[in-house]
Each structure stands twice: as structure tokens, then as C-alpha cells.
């Protein structure tokens, strides 16, 4: 293992893993801090997915340091703390406190903080974070229910989260390239700065920043700043030339579980219904036997054809279910049922599974007892095929609701047929 990463949420971990695999670095995502004997295989990068973004500070620090300890025990040479490209945090943390705790644990005294992800419109200029054309505090992030971002100046934001010095390597320096960035980092460090925000407005900036970070024990930021890291290891002779990730070759029945109500997922369902049998889970008709009924329906289908089970509904129907059942309760009912259905499908021989929806994916992974994922090739931007490590052997595609083209489900399973 070369790079050991810690992500503060599940889809953030997948995003980072996918970025590294895209640069030809074999990567595995593990769910929570693994047992001592968990084997990540041949992965050059391992990303531990935590759920600490909005956890109490002490808990976020404890879990992050536990993840670091595990990664160190497996020989990782450089460490990465991945947080959201919109710097999701509060004055209490958790970005500053976790950065500080990881530095302390590593005996290091300097790191960079670079949330920029220009491909998704997140750019940092003079220390101000933009979301598309808007400053962070003028974007939708100002109304986030858990981490409202009301200040776009990350020097101020991060200074409120750490007692140590915060500095900036600005665009003029970043534009001048790797040596200039490295020299600026050295000067800030000599001035007692512990956290250096780094401007970036393009992927070329991120690659230069990654190059300049070659000797840092800890790098922190969004997934974008990882773009340049695989080449550092190659230049050092530690990593093979870019390796194309292999598709999972696991054979078995195929199924799609969709709990996302996003437009993209609803369009994907409509497209798949032209080809495969489907079963609708209506939260307003839920009973204790809902999962069993869905599984009995699956038993009646031809095992050669994928089955699609979905709760996804139009906004009106979702609002009705939420009004009657309560928003959280409706979500929890569907997630519990999806978990039970996934476990039941697995017992019936399903080995190729696509799940649509971030929370739905979390519920399914937990119900299946999966502890790790080897990251395979990308199906559509941001969504790779993965192969399970720990738990039942399966090919698994976990899709955030809004991702993927209308033919996503069909295309994804066709890729496995060609494997
Ligand atoms: P996305 O990635 O699109 O946000 P998620 O799975 O994260 O999808 O979130 C969708 C949430 O909506 C889940 O909690 C799910 O259980 C819930 N849900 C799914 N279908 C319905 C429905 N018909 N009515 C109400 N809530 C639903």
C-alpha cells in the first residue's frame, strides 16, 4: 500500500477511489475501520470510508486516528484526508480538528488543504471558494441542513477550526508551477503556518499541487488534488505504469434496486422497464411482509433476466408518503426493506447488483455485510463497477441518485456481459 486515505463520508470515499483508479492506481474502498486481519489485496491505495462529517468532534477525531493507525499498520507511505469540495463543516469542525489530530499522530507539522474540484465547478481563488459562478456563501450550501456554509473565505473558516496558523498559497504561486508551490509551502511552514490552503481553478493546477505535495506526510482536500498523486509514486519507481482496472467477472443473477427519487434515476427506471420486469414498492402500502412479497415476485421471474425493484416515485407521491408517514420514517421504512430485499436476492443467487441512491446504497451494503470494495472501471462519470471484498462475492455498482445517463442500468449490465 502506498497511499492511505480517510474519507469523512461513503460517497466521498468512492469519488476519491474512482479518481485514483482513473489515474491508473489500483484502489480499494473499505467501509469503516477494518479488522486487523482484513486483506486489501494488491491495492496501491486504500480509502477508509467513515461517516464522520457531522459526527461530534471527539468521535470524528477518534475514528479518523483509528483509520490512520490501521493504514499505517498496513504500510501506507503517505496519507490523505478527504472531505467535501464545498468544505462542509462548522466552526466546531470537523476538518480542522481532524487535520490537527492526524498531523499529531504522524509527528508532522504541516499540511495543505485543497478542496478545489474544478471539473464539478468548485474552485478556490485567493482563498475564496466558488461553487460554479457563485461564492460558497451565496450558493445552495448556505442553506445546508447540517453544515450551512455562510463564509466563502476558507482562511477564516479554517482558522475558526484550529488553534494553529492557517496560510494561503495563492493562484500566482500555483500558476508558476511545482517548484514555486513547494518553495511557498516551505516559507509558510518556516513562518509557523500548519495548514496551507492552496488556490486551484483547473485540473492543471491540481496536478501541479499534487506534484509539489510529493514529500508531505499528510495531504487534505477534495478528490481533485489526488489527480497528481499516482504520478508521484511512479516517478519514485514505486508504482507500475497506469494499470487499467479489471471488470468484476462474477457470474449470477442480476438485479437493480432503486430507492433514489431523483429525476435521473426515474428516467433510468423508465428506460429499463422497456426491457426487464419491475416491481414497485409503495411506502403507503408497506406491511411487515413487504420485503417477502417482493422476493416472492422475484422468484416468479425468469432467472436469465435482470429484475428491477424500485420505490422511486414522482415528487407528488413522495410528498404524500412523507406527509402520511413522516419524512424520516418513510425513508427508513424503504431503506430497511431495500436492505432485506438485497440480502434475500443474494441468497437467491443474485451476484450482479446495481443500487440507485446514496442512502439506499448505505443500507444495502450494511445489510449484505460488505466490508470492502475493489474499484473497477467507470460506467458513467463518478460511478464505477466494484467487486466486493468481505461479505458475499458480488459485482456491485452503487450510484448516487443524480448520476448516470438514462441507459445507465442497461449499459452497466452489458459491460459485465462483455467481461
Ligand atoms: P439520492 O442519492 O437520490 O439522494 P437516497 O437513497 O440517498 O437517494 O435517498 C432517497 C431517500 O428517499 C431514501 O431515504 C429512501 O428510502 C427514500 N425514499 C425512496 N422512495 C421513497 C418514496 N416513494 N417515498 C418517500 N421516500 C422514499
Amino acid at each position: 500500500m502506498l497511499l492511505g486515505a480517510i474519507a469523512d463520508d461513503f460517497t466521498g470515499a468512492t469519488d476519491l477511489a474512482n479518481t485514483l483508479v482513473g489515474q491508473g492506481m489500483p484502489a480499494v474502498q473499505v467501509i469503516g475501520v477494518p479488522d486487523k486481519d482484513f486483506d486489501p489485496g494488491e491495492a496501491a491505495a486504500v480509502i477508509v470510508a467513515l461517516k464522520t462529517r457531522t459526527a461530534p468532534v471527539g468521535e470524528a477525531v477518534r475514528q479518523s486516528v483509528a483509520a490512520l493507525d490501521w493504514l499505517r499498520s498496513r504500510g501506507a507511505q503517505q496519507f490523505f484526508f478527504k472531505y467535501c469540495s464545498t468544505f462542509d463543516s462548522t466552526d466546531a469542525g470537523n476538518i480542522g480538528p481532524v487535520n490537527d489530530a492526524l498531523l499529531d499522530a504522524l509527528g508532522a507539522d504541516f499540511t495543505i488543504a485543497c478542496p478545489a474540484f474544478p471539473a464539478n465547478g468548485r474552485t478556490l481563488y485567493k482563498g475564496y471558494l466558488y461553487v460554479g459562478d457563485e461564492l460558497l456563501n451565496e450558493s445552495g450550501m448556505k442553506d445546508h441542513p447540517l453544515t450551512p456554509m455562510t463564509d466563502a473565505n476558507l482562511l477564516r473558516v479554517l482558522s475558526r477550526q484550529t488553534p494553529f496558523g492557517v496560510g494561503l498559497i495563492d493562484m500566482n504561486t500555483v500558476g508558476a508551477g511545482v517548484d514555486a508551490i513547494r518553495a511557498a509551502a516551505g516559507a509558510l511552514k518556516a513562518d509557523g503556518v500548519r495548514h496551507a490552503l492552496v488556490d486551484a481553478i483547473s485540473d492543471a493546477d491540481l496536478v501541479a499541487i499534487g506534484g509539489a505535495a510529493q514529500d508531505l506526510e499528510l495531504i487534505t482536500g477534495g478528490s481533485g488534488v489526488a489527480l497528481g498523486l499516482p504520478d508521484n509514486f511512479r516517478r519514485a519507481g514505486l508504482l507500475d505504469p497506469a494499470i487499467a482496472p479489471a471488470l468484476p467477472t462474477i457470474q449470477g443473477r442480476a438485479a437493480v434496486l432503486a430507492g433514489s427519487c431523483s429525476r435521473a434515476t426515474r428516467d433510468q427506471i423508465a428506460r429499463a422497464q422497456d426491457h426487464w420486469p419491475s416491481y414497485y414498492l409503495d411506502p403507503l402500502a408497506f406491511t411487515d411482509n413487504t420485503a417477502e412479497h417482493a422476493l416472492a415476485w422475484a422468484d416468479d421471474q425468469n432467472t436469465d433476466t435482470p429484475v428491477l425493484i424500485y420505490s422511486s416515485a414522482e415528487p407528488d407521491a413522495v410528498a404524500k408518503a412523507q406527509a402520511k408517514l413522516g419524512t424520516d420514517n418513510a425513508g427508513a421504512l424503504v431503506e430497511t426493506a431495500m436492505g432485506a430485499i438485497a440480502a434475500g436476492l443474494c441468497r437467491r443467487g443474485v451476484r450482479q447488483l446495481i443500487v440507485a441512491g446514496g442512502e439506499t446504497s448505505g443500507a444495502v451494503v450494511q445489510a449484505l455485510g460488505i466490508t470492502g470494495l475493489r474499484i473497477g472501471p467507470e460506467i458513467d462519470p463518478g460511478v464505477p463497477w466494484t467487486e466486493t471484498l468481505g461479505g458475499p462475492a458480488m459485482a456491485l455498482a452503487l450510484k448516487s441518485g443524480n448520476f448516470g445517463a438514462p441507459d445507465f442500468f442497461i449499459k452497466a449490465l452489458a459491460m459485465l456481459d462483455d467481461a
Side-chain angles (χ1 to χ4, degrees):
M1 191 193 310
L2 299 173
L3 185 68
I6 301 155
D8 68 355
D9 86 337
F10 188 90
T11 44
T14 310
D15 180 14
L16 175 59
N18 192 51
T19 299
L20 293 165
V21 167
Q23 300 302 311
M25 187 171 196
V28 158
Q29 170 177 350
V30 295
I31 295 136
V33 181
D35 293 340
K36 285 225 155 16
D37 50 1
F38 177 83
D39 178 10
E42 297 298 298
V46 175
I47 299 98
V48 178
L50 300 178
K51 203 170 184 304
T52 49
R53 184 165 297 167
T54 55
V57 177
E59 187 56 24
V61 163
R62 192 189 63 72
Q63 288 188 33
S64 303
V65 171
L68 180 82
D69 288 345
W70 182 80
L71 291 163
R72 289 175 96 180
S73 76
R74 306 309 293 240
Q77 302 183 12
Q78 187 175 43
F79 301 90
F80 193 108
F81 176 44
K82 157 75 175 70
Y83 39 80
C84 190
S85 58
T86 42
F87 216 72
D88 299 16
S89 54
T90 67
D91 286 352
N94 289 337
I95 296 174
V98 171
N99 285 1
D100 280 327
L102 296 176
L103 283 171
D104 287 345
L106 289 165
D109 55 7
F110 180 83
T111 186
I112 58 167
C114 183
F117 193 0
N120 272 357
R122 276 70 157 151
T123 53
L124 194 71
Y125 184 71
K126 302 282 181 189
Y128 284 80
L129 186 60
Y130 288 80
V131 178
D133 296 333
E134 297 172 321
L135 282 165
L136 177 66
N137 58 306
E138 294 170 11
S139 76
M141 281 305 297
K142 70 178 185 303
D143 302 316
H144 192 282
L146 302 174
T147 53
M149 299 304 289
T150 55
D151 187 355
N153 183 316
L154 296 192
L155 281 156
R156 284 193 300 249
V157 173
L158 187 52
S159 293
R160 289 193 286 265
Q161 297 181 29
T162 173
F164 299 99
V166 177
L168 174 68
I169 300 176
D170 80 1
M171 201 55 237
N172 295 334
T173 305
V174 172
V178 174
D179 293 342
I181 300 167
R182 206 173 272 151
L188 286 173
K189 187 173 162 181
D191 274 353
V193 164
R194 204 173 198 230
H195 307 265
L197 287 152
V198 193
D199 279 352
I201 58 171
S202 70
D203 281 357
D205 297 334
L206 292 172
V207 170
I209 296 163
Q214 178 155 13
D215 298 325
L216 290 182
E217 291 93 337
L218 176 70
I219 297 164
T220 84
S223 61
V225 74
L227 272 178
L229 302 185
D231 269 348
N232 289 344
F233 293 111
R234 281 193 195 102
R235 274 193 298 272
L238 298 170
L239 182 64
D240 292 334
I243 301 164
L247 271 166
T249 53
I250 300 162
Q251 299 302 315
R253 283 185 79 176
V256 178
L257 294 178
S260 164
C261 299
S262 69
R263 166 157 288 282
T265 297
R266 285 183 285 125
D267 288 349
Q268 289 155 357
I269 290 169
R271 186 70 72 92
Q273 282 172 324
D274 291 341
H275 303 268
W276 308 329
S278 64
Y279 186 93
Y280 175 52
L281 294 175
D282 180 355
L284 287 174
F286 265 38
T287 66
D288 289 347
N289 299 324
T290 292
E292 279 165 41
H293 287 153
L295 290 166
W297 169 84
D299 286 338
D300 288 341
Q301 309 307 311
N302 180 342
T303 52
D304 293 337
T305 309
V307 290
L308 165 64
I309 298 176
Y310 66 103
S311 66
S312 319
E314 303 282 328
D316 281 359
V318 173
K320 249 189 220 150
Q322 289 176 335
K324 179 115 191 273
L325 302 167
T327 300
D328 290 350
N329 187 40
L333 275 176
V334 174
E335 286 170 34
T336 305
M338 286 294 190
I341 292 167
L345 288 173
C346 181
R347 283 194 297 274
R348 287 162 170 77
V350 166
R351 292 291 175 270
Q352 303 179 342
L353 182 65
I354 302 173
V355 188
E359 295 298 326
T360 310
S361 294
V364 166
V365 163
Q366 195 176 13
L368 290 172
I370 289 162
T371 50
L373 302 169
R374 182 186 66 74
I375 307 297
E378 210 171 47
I379 305 161
D380 269 337
V383 199
W385 264 117
T386 74
E387 190 176 315
T388 56
L389 305 168
M394 294 177 92
L396 199 59
L398 305 174
K399 188 187 81 75
S400 170
N402 269 317
F403 283 15
D407 63 348
F408 179 87
F409 298 146
I410 296 158
K411 181 161 77 177
L413 290 178
M415 276 172 77
L416 293 188
D417 285 344
D418 295 340

